[in-house]
Coordinates of all heavy atoms in Angstrom, one line a residue:
M1 N -36.6 -142.4 -89.7 CA -36.0 -143.7 -90.2 C -36.0 -144.7 -89.1 O -35.7 -144.5 -88.0 CB -34.6 -143.4 -90.7 CG -33.9 -144.6 -91.2 SD -32.3 -144.1 -91.9 CE -32.1 -145.3 -93.1
T2 N -36.4 -145.9 -89.5 CA -36.4 -147.0 -88.6 C -35.1 -147.6 -88.5 O -34.3 -147.8 -89.4 CB -37.4 -148.1 -89.1 OG1 -38.7 -147.5 -89.4 CG2 -37.6 -149.2 -88.1
I3 N -34.7 -148.0 -87.2 CA -33.5 -148.7 -87.0 C -33.7 -150.2 -87.2 O -34.5 -150.8 -86.6 CB -32.9 -148.4 -85.6 CG1 -32.7 -146.9 -85.4 CG2 -31.7 -149.2 -85.3 CD1 -32.3 -146.5 -84.0
G4 N -32.9 -150.7 -88.1 CA -33.0 -152.2 -88.4 C -31.7 -152.9 -88.1 O -30.7 -152.3 -87.7
T5 N -31.7 -154.2 -88.3 CA -30.5 -154.9 -88.1 C -29.5 -154.7 -89.2 O -29.9 -154.2 -90.3 CB -30.8 -156.4 -87.9 OG1 -31.3 -156.9 -89.1 CG2 -31.7 -156.7 -86.8
A6 N -28.3 -155.2 -89.1 CA -27.3 -155.0 -90.1 C -27.8 -155.7 -91.4 O -27.5 -155.3 -92.5 CB -26.0 -155.6 -89.7
D7 N -28.5 -156.8 -91.3 CA -29.0 -157.5 -92.5 C -30.0 -156.7 -93.3 O -30.1 -156.8 -94.5 CB -29.7 -158.8 -92.1 CG -28.8 -159.9 -91.5 OD1 -27.6 -159.8 -91.8 OD2 -29.2 -160.7 -90.8
R8 N -30.7 -155.8 -92.6 CA -31.6 -154.9 -93.3 C -30.9 -153.6 -93.7 O -31.5 -152.8 -94.4 CB -32.8 -154.6 -92.3 CG -33.8 -155.7 -92.2 CD -35.0 -155.4 -91.4 NE -35.0 -156.2 -90.2 CZ -35.5 -155.9 -89.1 NH1 -36.0 -154.7 -88.9 NH2 -35.4 -156.7 -88.1
N9 N -29.7 -153.4 -93.2 CA -29.0 -152.2 -93.6 C -27.6 -152.7 -94.0 O -26.6 -152.5 -93.2 CB -28.9 -151.3 -92.4 CG -28.4 -149.9 -92.8 OD1 -27.9 -149.8 -94.0 ND2 -28.5 -148.9 -92.0
P10 N -27.4 -153.2 -95.2 CA -26.1 -153.7 -95.6 C -25.0 -152.7 -95.8 O -23.9 -153.0 -96.1 CB -26.4 -154.5 -96.9 CG -27.6 -153.8 -97.4 CD -28.4 -153.3 -96.2
A11 N -25.4 -151.4 -95.6 CA -24.4 -150.3 -95.8 C -23.4 -150.3 -94.7 O -22.3 -149.6 -94.9 CB -25.1 -149.0 -95.9
L12 N -23.6 -151.0 -93.6 CA -22.6 -151.0 -92.6 C -21.4 -151.8 -92.9 O -21.6 -153.0 -93.3 CB -23.2 -151.4 -91.2 CG -24.3 -150.6 -90.6 CD1 -24.8 -151.2 -89.4 CD2 -23.8 -149.1 -90.4
S13 N -20.2 -151.3 -92.7 CA -19.0 -152.0 -93.0 C -18.7 -153.0 -91.9 O -19.3 -152.9 -90.8 CB -17.8 -151.1 -93.1 OG -17.4 -150.6 -91.8
P14 N -17.9 -154.0 -92.2 CA -17.5 -155.0 -91.1 C -16.9 -154.3 -89.9 O -17.2 -154.7 -88.7 CB -16.5 -155.9 -91.8 CG -16.8 -155.8 -93.2 CD -17.3 -154.4 -93.5
R15 N -16.1 -153.2 -90.1 CA -15.5 -152.5 -88.9 C -16.6 -151.8 -88.1 O -16.6 -151.7 -86.9 CB -14.4 -151.6 -89.4 CG -13.2 -152.3 -89.9 CD -12.5 -153.1 -88.8 NE -11.5 -152.3 -88.2 CZ -10.7 -152.7 -87.2 NH1 -10.7 -153.9 -86.9 NH2 -9.8 -151.9 -86.7
E16 N -17.6 -151.2 -88.8 CA -18.7 -150.5 -88.2 C -19.5 -151.5 -87.3 O -19.9 -151.2 -86.2 CB -19.6 -149.8 -89.2 CG -18.9 -148.6 -89.8 CD -19.6 -148.1 -91.0 OE1 -20.4 -148.8 -91.6 OE2 -19.4 -146.9 -91.4
L17 N -19.7 -152.7 -87.9 CA -20.4 -153.7 -87.1 C -19.6 -154.2 -85.9 O -20.2 -154.4 -84.9 CB -20.7 -155.0 -88.1 CG -21.7 -154.7 -89.1 CD1 -21.8 -155.9 -90.1 CD2 -23.1 -154.5 -88.5
E18 N -18.3 -154.3 -86.1 CA -17.5 -154.6 -84.9 C -17.5 -153.6 -83.8 O -17.6 -154.0 -82.6 CB -16.0 -154.8 -85.4 CG -15.1 -155.4 -84.4 CD -13.7 -155.6 -84.9 OE1 -13.4 -155.5 -86.1 OE2 -12.8 -155.9 -84.0
V19 N -17.5 -152.3 -84.2 CA -17.7 -151.3 -83.2 C -19.0 -151.4 -82.5 O -19.1 -151.3 -81.2 CB -17.5 -149.9 -83.9 CG1 -18.0 -148.8 -82.9 CG2 -16.1 -149.6 -84.3
L20 N -20.1 -151.7 -83.2 CA -21.4 -151.8 -82.6 C -21.4 -153.0 -81.7 O -22.1 -153.0 -80.6 CB -22.5 -152.0 -83.7 CG -23.0 -150.8 -84.3 CD1 -24.1 -151.1 -85.4 CD2 -23.6 -149.9 -83.3
Q21 N -20.8 -154.1 -82.0 CA -20.8 -155.3 -81.2 C -20.0 -155.0 -79.8 O -20.5 -155.4 -78.8 CB -20.1 -156.5 -81.9 CG -21.0 -157.0 -83.0 CD -20.2 -158.0 -83.9 OE1 -19.0 -158.1 -83.9 NE2 -21.0 -158.7 -84.7
H22 N -19.0 -154.2 -79.9 CA -18.3 -153.8 -78.7 C -19.1 -152.9 -77.8 O -19.2 -153.0 -76.6 CB -16.9 -153.2 -79.0 CG -15.9 -154.1 -79.5 ND1 -15.4 -155.1 -78.7 CD2 -15.2 -154.2 -80.6 CE1 -14.4 -155.8 -79.3 NE2 -14.3 -155.2 -80.6
L23 N -19.8 -152.0 -78.5 CA -20.7 -151.1 -77.8 C -21.8 -151.8 -77.1 O -22.2 -151.5 -76.0 CB -21.3 -150.1 -78.8 CG -22.1 -148.9 -78.3 CD1 -21.1 -147.9 -77.5 CD2 -22.8 -148.1 -79.4
A24 N -22.4 -152.8 -77.8 CA -23.4 -153.6 -77.2 C -23.0 -154.4 -75.9 O -23.7 -154.7 -75.0 CB -24.0 -154.6 -78.2
R25 N -21.7 -154.7 -75.9 CA -21.1 -155.4 -74.7 C -20.8 -154.4 -73.6 O -20.4 -154.8 -72.5 CB -19.8 -156.1 -75.1 CG -20.0 -157.3 -76.0 CD -18.7 -158.0 -76.3 NE -18.9 -158.9 -77.3 CZ -18.3 -158.8 -78.5 NH1 -17.6 -157.8 -78.8 NH2 -18.5 -159.7 -79.5
G26 N -21.1 -153.1 -73.8 CA -20.9 -152.1 -72.8 C -19.6 -151.4 -72.8 O -19.2 -150.8 -71.8
C27 N -18.8 -151.6 -73.8 CA -17.4 -151.0 -73.9 C -17.5 -149.5 -74.1 O -18.4 -149.0 -74.8 CB -16.6 -151.6 -75.0 SG -16.3 -153.4 -74.8
T28 N -16.6 -148.8 -73.4 CA -16.5 -147.4 -73.6 C -15.8 -147.2 -75.0 O -15.2 -148.1 -75.5 CB -15.7 -146.7 -72.5 OG1 -14.3 -147.3 -72.6 CG2 -16.3 -147.0 -71.2
Y29 N -15.8 -145.9 -75.4 CA -15.1 -145.6 -76.7 C -13.6 -145.9 -76.5 O -13.0 -146.5 -77.4 CB -15.2 -144.1 -77.0 CG -16.5 -143.6 -77.6 CD1 -17.7 -144.4 -77.4 CD2 -16.6 -142.5 -78.3 CE1 -18.9 -143.9 -77.9 CE2 -17.8 -142.0 -78.8 CZ -18.9 -142.7 -78.6 OH -20.1 -142.3 -79.1
A30 N -13.0 -145.7 -75.3 CA -11.6 -146.0 -75.1 C -11.3 -147.5 -75.1 O -10.3 -147.9 -75.7 CB -11.1 -145.4 -73.8
A31 N -12.2 -148.2 -74.6 CA -12.1 -149.7 -74.6 C -12.2 -150.3 -76.0 O -11.5 -151.2 -76.4 CB -13.1 -150.4 -73.6
I32 N -13.2 -149.7 -76.7 CA -13.3 -150.2 -78.1 C -12.1 -149.9 -78.9 O -11.6 -150.7 -79.6 CB -14.6 -149.5 -78.8 CG1 -15.9 -149.9 -78.1 CG2 -14.6 -149.8 -80.3 CD1 -17.1 -149.1 -78.5
A33 N -11.6 -148.6 -78.7 CA -10.3 -148.2 -79.4 C -9.2 -149.2 -79.1 O -8.5 -149.6 -80.0 CB -10.0 -146.8 -79.1
H34 N -9.0 -149.5 -77.8 CA -7.9 -150.4 -77.4 C -8.1 -151.8 -78.0 O -7.1 -152.3 -78.5 CB -7.9 -150.4 -75.9 CG -6.9 -151.4 -75.3 ND1 -5.5 -151.0 -75.3 CD2 -6.9 -152.6 -74.8 CE1 -4.8 -152.0 -74.8 NE2 -5.7 -153.0 -74.5
R35 N -9.3 -152.3 -77.9 CA -9.5 -153.7 -78.4 C -9.3 -153.8 -79.9 O -9.0 -154.8 -80.4 CB -10.9 -154.1 -78.0 CG -11.0 -154.4 -76.6 CD -12.5 -154.7 -76.2 NE -12.5 -154.9 -74.7 CZ -13.4 -155.6 -74.1 NH1 -14.3 -156.2 -74.8 NH2 -13.4 -155.6 -72.8
M36 N -9.7 -152.7 -80.6 CA -9.6 -152.7 -82.1 C -8.3 -152.1 -82.6 O -8.1 -152.1 -83.8 CB -10.8 -152.0 -82.7 CG -12.1 -152.7 -82.5 SD -13.5 -151.8 -83.2 CE -13.2 -152.0 -84.9
G37 N -7.4 -151.6 -81.8 CA -6.2 -151.0 -82.2 C -6.4 -149.7 -82.9 O -5.7 -149.4 -83.9
L38 N -7.4 -148.9 -82.4 CA -7.7 -147.6 -83.1 C -7.5 -146.5 -82.1 O -7.4 -146.7 -80.9 CB -9.1 -147.7 -83.6 CG -9.6 -148.8 -84.5 CD1 -11.1 -148.8 -84.7 CD2 -8.9 -148.6 -85.8
S39 N -7.6 -145.3 -82.6 CA -7.7 -144.1 -81.7 C -9.2 -143.9 -81.3 O -10.1 -144.4 -82.0 CB -7.2 -142.9 -82.3 OG -8.1 -142.4 -83.3
T40 N -9.4 -143.2 -80.2 CA -10.8 -142.9 -79.8 C -11.5 -142.1 -80.8 O -12.7 -142.2 -81.0 CB -10.9 -142.3 -78.4 OG1 -10.0 -141.1 -78.4 CG2 -10.5 -143.2 -77.3
H41 N -10.7 -141.2 -81.5 CA -11.2 -140.4 -82.6 C -11.8 -141.3 -83.7 O -12.8 -141.0 -84.3 CB -10.1 -139.4 -83.1 CG -10.6 -138.6 -84.2 ND1 -11.5 -137.5 -84.1 CD2 -10.3 -138.7 -85.6 CE1 -11.7 -137.0 -85.3 NE2 -11.0 -137.7 -86.2
T42 N -11.1 -142.3 -84.1 CA -11.5 -143.2 -85.1 C -12.8 -143.9 -84.7 O -13.7 -144.1 -85.5 CB -10.4 -144.2 -85.5 OG1 -9.3 -143.5 -85.9 CG2 -10.9 -145.1 -86.6
V43 N -12.9 -144.4 -83.5 CA -14.1 -145.0 -83.0 C -15.3 -144.0 -83.1 O -16.4 -144.4 -83.5 CB -13.9 -145.5 -81.5 CG1 -15.3 -145.9 -80.9 CG2 -12.9 -146.6 -81.4
D44 N -15.0 -142.8 -82.7 CA -16.1 -141.8 -82.7 C -16.5 -141.5 -84.2 O -17.7 -141.4 -84.5 CB -15.6 -140.4 -82.1 CG -16.6 -139.4 -82.2 OD1 -17.7 -139.6 -81.5 OD2 -16.4 -138.3 -82.8
T45 N -15.5 -141.6 -85.1 CA -15.9 -141.4 -86.5 C -16.7 -142.6 -87.0 O -17.7 -142.4 -87.7 CB -14.6 -141.3 -87.4 OG1 -13.8 -140.2 -87.0 CG2 -14.9 -141.3 -88.9
Y46 N -16.4 -143.8 -86.6 CA -17.2 -145.0 -87.0 C -18.6 -144.8 -86.5 O -19.6 -145.0 -87.2 CB -16.6 -146.3 -86.5 CG -15.5 -146.9 -87.3 CD1 -14.3 -147.2 -86.7 CD2 -15.7 -147.1 -88.6 CE1 -13.3 -147.8 -87.5 CE2 -14.7 -147.7 -89.4 CZ -13.5 -148.0 -88.8 OH -12.5 -148.6 -89.6
L47 N -18.8 -144.4 -85.2 CA -20.1 -144.2 -84.7 C -20.9 -143.1 -85.3 O -22.1 -143.2 -85.5 CB -20.0 -144.0 -83.1 CG -19.5 -145.3 -82.4 CD1 -19.1 -145.0 -81.0 CD2 -20.6 -146.4 -82.5
R48 N -20.2 -142.0 -85.7 CA -20.9 -141.0 -86.4 C -21.4 -141.5 -87.8 O -22.5 -141.1 -88.2 CB -20.0 -139.7 -86.6 CG -20.0 -138.9 -85.3 CD -19.3 -137.6 -85.5 NE -17.8 -137.8 -85.4 CZ -17.0 -137.6 -86.4 NH1 -17.4 -137.1 -87.6 NH2 -15.7 -137.8 -86.3
R49 N -20.6 -142.3 -88.5 CA -21.0 -142.8 -89.7 C -22.2 -143.8 -89.6 O -23.1 -143.8 -90.4 CB -19.8 -143.6 -90.4 CG -18.8 -142.6 -90.9 CD -17.6 -143.4 -91.5 NE -16.5 -142.6 -92.0 CZ -15.3 -143.0 -92.3 NH1 -15.1 -144.3 -92.3 NH2 -14.4 -142.1 -92.7
I50 N -22.1 -144.6 -88.5 CA -23.2 -145.5 -88.3 C -24.5 -144.7 -88.0 O -25.6 -145.1 -88.5 CB -22.9 -146.4 -87.0 CG1 -21.8 -147.4 -87.4 CG2 -24.2 -147.2 -86.6 CD1 -21.1 -148.1 -86.2
R51 N -24.4 -143.7 -87.2 CA -25.6 -142.8 -87.0 C -26.1 -142.2 -88.3 O -27.4 -142.2 -88.5 CB -25.2 -141.7 -86.0 CG -25.1 -142.1 -84.6 CD -24.9 -140.9 -83.7 NE -24.6 -141.3 -82.3 CZ -23.4 -141.2 -81.8 NH1 -22.4 -140.7 -82.4 NH2 -23.2 -141.6 -80.5
A52 N -25.3 -141.8 -89.1 CA -25.7 -141.2 -90.4 C -26.4 -142.2 -91.3 O -27.4 -141.9 -91.9 CB -24.5 -140.5 -91.1
K53 N -25.8 -143.4 -91.3 CA -26.4 -144.4 -92.2 C -27.7 -145.0 -91.7 O -28.5 -145.4 -92.5 CB -25.4 -145.6 -92.3 CG -24.1 -145.2 -93.2 CD -23.2 -146.4 -93.2 CE -21.9 -146.1 -94.0 NZ -21.0 -147.3 -94.1
T54 N -27.8 -145.1 -90.4 CA -29.0 -145.8 -89.8 C -30.1 -144.8 -89.3 O -31.2 -145.2 -89.0 CB -28.6 -146.7 -88.6 OG1 -28.1 -145.8 -87.6 CG2 -27.6 -147.7 -89.1
G55 N -29.7 -143.5 -89.2 CA -30.7 -142.6 -88.6 C -30.8 -142.6 -87.1 O -31.7 -142.1 -86.5
A56 N -29.8 -143.3 -86.5 CA -29.8 -143.4 -85.0 C -29.4 -142.0 -84.5 O -28.2 -141.7 -84.6 CB -28.8 -144.5 -84.5
D57 N -30.3 -141.2 -84.1 CA -30.0 -139.8 -83.8 C -29.6 -139.5 -82.4 O -29.4 -138.3 -82.0 CB -31.2 -138.9 -84.2 CG -32.5 -139.3 -83.6 OD1 -32.5 -140.3 -82.9 OD2 -33.5 -138.6 -83.8
N58 N -29.5 -140.5 -81.5 CA -29.1 -140.3 -80.2 C -28.5 -141.6 -79.6 O -28.5 -142.6 -80.3 CB -30.2 -139.8 -79.3 CG -31.4 -140.7 -79.2 OD1 -31.2 -141.9 -79.0 ND2 -32.6 -140.2 -79.4
R59 N -27.9 -141.5 -78.4 CA -27.2 -142.6 -77.9 C -28.1 -143.8 -77.6 O -27.7 -145.0 -77.7 CB -26.5 -142.2 -76.6 CG -25.3 -141.4 -76.8 CD -24.6 -141.0 -75.5 NE -23.5 -140.1 -75.7 CZ -22.3 -140.4 -75.5 NH1 -21.9 -141.5 -75.1 NH2 -21.3 -139.5 -75.8
I60 N -29.4 -143.5 -77.2 CA -30.3 -144.6 -76.9 C -30.6 -145.4 -78.2 O -30.5 -146.6 -78.1 CB -31.6 -144.0 -76.3 CG1 -31.4 -143.3 -75.0 CG2 -32.7 -145.1 -76.2 CD1 -31.0 -144.1 -73.9
R61 N -30.8 -144.7 -79.3 CA -31.1 -145.5 -80.5 C -29.9 -146.2 -81.0 O -30.0 -147.3 -81.5 CB -31.6 -144.5 -81.6 CG -33.0 -144.0 -81.3 CD -33.5 -143.1 -82.5 NE -34.7 -142.5 -82.2 CZ -35.9 -143.0 -82.6 NH1 -35.9 -144.0 -83.4 NH2 -37.0 -142.4 -82.3
L62 N -28.7 -145.6 -80.8 CA -27.5 -146.3 -81.1 C -27.3 -147.6 -80.3 O -26.9 -148.6 -80.8 CB -26.3 -145.3 -80.9 CG -24.9 -145.8 -81.5 CD1 -25.0 -146.0 -83.0 CD2 -23.9 -144.8 -81.2
A63 N -27.6 -147.5 -79.0 CA -27.5 -148.6 -78.1 C -28.5 -149.7 -78.5 O -28.2 -150.9 -78.5 CB -27.7 -148.2 -76.7
L64 N -29.7 -149.3 -78.9 CA -30.7 -150.3 -79.4 C -30.2 -151.0 -80.7 O -30.4 -152.2 -80.8 CB -32.0 -149.6 -79.6 CG -32.8 -149.2 -78.4 CD1 -34.0 -148.3 -78.8 CD2 -33.2 -150.3 -77.6
L65 N -29.6 -150.2 -81.6 CA -29.1 -150.8 -82.8 C -28.0 -151.8 -82.5 O -27.9 -152.9 -83.0 CB -28.6 -149.7 -83.7 CG -27.9 -150.1 -85.0 CD1 -28.9 -150.9 -85.9 CD2 -27.3 -148.9 -85.7
A66 N -27.1 -151.4 -81.5 CA -26.0 -152.3 -81.2 C -26.5 -153.6 -80.6 O -26.0 -154.6 -80.9 CB -25.1 -151.5 -80.1
A67 N -27.6 -153.5 -79.8 CA -28.2 -154.7 -79.2 C -28.8 -155.6 -80.3 O -28.6 -156.8 -80.3 CB -29.2 -154.3 -78.2
E68 N -29.4 -155.0 -81.3 CA -30.0 -155.7 -82.4 C -29.0 -156.4 -83.2 O -29.1 -157.6 -83.5 CB -30.8 -154.8 -83.3 CG -32.1 -154.3 -82.7 CD -32.9 -153.4 -83.7 OE1 -32.6 -153.4 -84.9 OE2 -33.8 -152.7 -83.2
V69 N -27.9 -155.7 -83.5 CA -26.8 -156.3 -84.3 C -26.1 -157.4 -83.5 O -25.7 -158.4 -84.1 CB -25.8 -155.2 -84.7 CG1 -24.5 -155.8 -85.2 CG2 -26.4 -154.3 -85.7
S70 N -26.0 -157.3 -82.2 CA -25.3 -158.3 -81.4 C -26.2 -159.5 -81.0 O -25.6 -160.5 -80.6 CB -24.8 -157.7 -80.2 OG -23.8 -156.8 -80.5
T71 N -27.5 -159.4 -81.2 CA -28.4 -160.5 -80.9 C -28.5 -161.5 -82.0 O -29.0 -161.0 -83.1 CB -29.8 -160.0 -80.4 OG1 -29.6 -159.1 -79.4 CG2 -30.7 -161.1 -80.0
P72 N -28.1 -162.7 -81.9 CA -28.3 -163.7 -83.0 C -29.8 -163.9 -83.3 O -30.6 -163.9 -82.4 CB -27.6 -164.9 -82.5 CG -27.6 -164.8 -81.1 CD -27.6 -163.4 -80.7
T73 N -30.1 -164.0 -84.6 CA -31.5 -164.3 -85.0 C -31.7 -165.8 -84.8 O -30.8 -166.6 -84.6 CB -31.7 -164.0 -86.5 OG1 -30.9 -164.8 -87.2 CG2 -31.4 -162.5 -86.7
M74 N -33.0 -166.2 -84.8 CA -33.3 -167.6 -84.6 C -32.7 -168.4 -85.7 O -32.4 -169.6 -85.5 CB -34.8 -167.8 -84.5 CG -35.4 -167.2 -83.2 SD -37.1 -167.6 -83.0 CE -37.1 -169.4 -82.8
E75 N -32.7 -167.9 -86.9 CA -32.2 -168.6 -88.1 C -30.7 -169.0 -87.8 O -30.3 -170.1 -88.2 CB -32.3 -167.8 -89.3 CG -33.7 -167.5 -89.7 CD -33.8 -166.5 -90.9 OE1 -32.8 -166.1 -91.4 OE2 -34.9 -166.1 -91.2
T76 N -29.9 -168.1 -87.3 CA -28.5 -168.4 -87.1 C -28.2 -169.2 -85.8 O -27.1 -169.8 -85.7 CB -27.7 -167.1 -87.0 OG1 -28.1 -166.3 -86.0 CG2 -27.8 -166.4 -88.3
S77 N -29.1 -169.3 -84.9 CA -28.9 -170.0 -83.7 C -29.4 -171.5 -83.7 O -29.2 -172.2 -82.8 CB -29.5 -169.3 -82.5 OG -30.9 -169.2 -82.6
I78 N -30.1 -171.8 -84.8 CA -30.6 -173.2 -84.9 C -29.5 -174.1 -85.5 O -28.8 -173.8 -86.4 CB -31.9 -173.2 -85.8 CG1 -33.0 -172.5 -85.0 CG2 -32.3 -174.6 -86.1 CD1 -34.3 -172.3 -85.8

């Protein structure tokens, strides 16, 4: 499965996208949990759901997805 941006994969929830954005900034699971007011277990659950929905089968693909989601497109930056 190809990893696409959130626009190409509308199945991601707003909270899942928020987790990805924090991940793209280099936050650890603990930092993400603290910033979002969640437990680290909940952050892990969000990331497992994201992996299942997108086919990101390892941390590298998950990081690439996070970078894609966090990078504004030319359409939104004009």
Side-chain angles (χ1 to χ4, degrees):
M1 178 176 209
T2 307
I3 298 174
T5 63
D7 293 336
R8 286 184 242 151
N9 191 350
L12 295 180
S13 73
R15 292 295 269 183
E16 289 167 340
L17 290 171
E18 187 178 353
V19 168
L20 276 180
Q21 290 168 347
H22 286 298
L23 191 68
R25 291 184 192 111
C27 294
T28 63
Y29 285 22
I32 295 169
H34 178 74
R35 290 175 185 204
M36 294 180 66
L38 305 170
S39 72
T40 54
H41 176 74
T42 302
V43 171
D44 183 60
T45 299
Y46 277 129
L47 290 168
R48 280 187 281 117
R49 288 179 184 167
I50 293 165
R51 285 185 186 110
K53 290 178 180 182
T54 64
D57 55 357
N58 59 48
R59 288 180 185 246
I60 299 293
R61 289 184 185 259
L62 190 60
L64 289 171
L65 176 63
E68 287 179 18
V69 168
S70 293
T71 304
T73 63
M74 289 187 70
E75 294 171 7
T76 59
S77 61
I78 295 177

